[in-house]
Amino acid sequence: MEIRVKLSRQGKNTTLSELYINDEFICYVLEDSIRDEKIPGSTAIPAGRYKLEYNRYGAMNGRYQRWYPKFHKGMIELKGIPNFSYVYIHKGNTHANTAGCLLVGNTMRYDKNFGDYEVHQSQKAYKTVYKRLSALMEKGEVFIKVRY
């Protein structure tokens, strides 16, 4: 199975995309800026195709397990990204929350004062995305194509 993250817009420090499963729009995705040279924790992942796997270790996994004990099976991590590690799909609203990860939200907003995008209703979007991706991952391999 393959899901897509399609580039929508770029702000001063943000990249806004749309996440699709089976060509159905699911939610918005917020990342840091696309850069030619990586700045750790401040750079969007490069365009490519990456496998999704559970990561069941670390403090973030523990927090999400406490917040979502009924369905959390581990952080959904994008694997095999050159020069990147621990890239998760998780909740958050601004580029300050990303640290190189993909934030999900049901709505988006452009902040004219800062020239950046934000995603909102992130917790609701996260629950939806996590449950759908988790169900797909239980059936077999799942890959994410970023910026296509």
Side-chain angles (χ1 to χ4, degrees):
M1 167 55 84
E2 191 169 86
I3 63 172
R4 290 184 304 124
V5 174
K6 181 181 172 187
L7 177 64
S8 177
R9 301 173 188 138
Q10 290 194 260
K12 184 178 173 187
N13 298 295
T14 54
T15 301
L16 182 72
S17 300
E18 300 170 345
L19 187 140
Y20 293 86
I21 298 176
N22 293 327
D23 293 323
E24 174 191 356
F25 172 78
I26 305 300
C27 67
Y28 293 99
V29 173
L30 188 75
E31 294 181 78
D32 290 309
S33 295
I34 297 171
R35 302 178 195 280
D36 291 332
E37 192 170 317
K38 180 182 176 183
I39 298 172
S42 297
T43 304
I45 63 172
R49 183 175 184 260
Y50 308 107
K51 186 175 181 184
L52 297 181
E53 294 181 1
Y54 291 116
N55 182 318
R56 295 184 172 96
Y57 304 99
M60 182 175 254
N61 181 60
R63 282 194 306 276
Y64 276 67
Q65 181 63 51
R66 285 190 303 279
W67 292 338
Y68 306 111
K70 292 183 180 176
F71 65 84
H72 184 79
K73 298 175 184 177
M75 296 304 298
I76 296 178
E77 181 178 2
L78 285 72
K79 301 295 279 188
I81 304 169
N83 301 315
F84 285 76
S85 57
Y86 306 109
V87 176
Y88 303 123
I89 296 172
H90 64 88
K91 62 184 184 172
N93 301 110
T94 70
H95 75 279
N97 306 127
T98 66
C101 294
L102 283 67
L103 306 179
V104 294
N106 283 339
T107 61
M108 64 83 157
R109 181 176 90 80
Y110 181 71
D111 185 330
K112 293 181 216 173
N113 295 323
F114 293 100
D116 277 317
Y117 290 91
E118 301 173 347
V119 292
H120 296 278
Q121 297 180 2
S122 187
Q123 181 167 296
K124 187 174 181 180
Y126 177 77
K127 289 178 184 179
T128 299
V129 169
Y130 190 96
K131 290 175 183 177
R132 291 203 50 188
L133 292 179
S134 181
L136 292 171
M137 290 166 70
E138 295 299 317
K139 293 179 183 176
E141 290 187 329
V142 178
F143 293 87
I144 185 168
K145 283 180 87 171
V146 178
R147 279 184 274 296
Y148 290 92

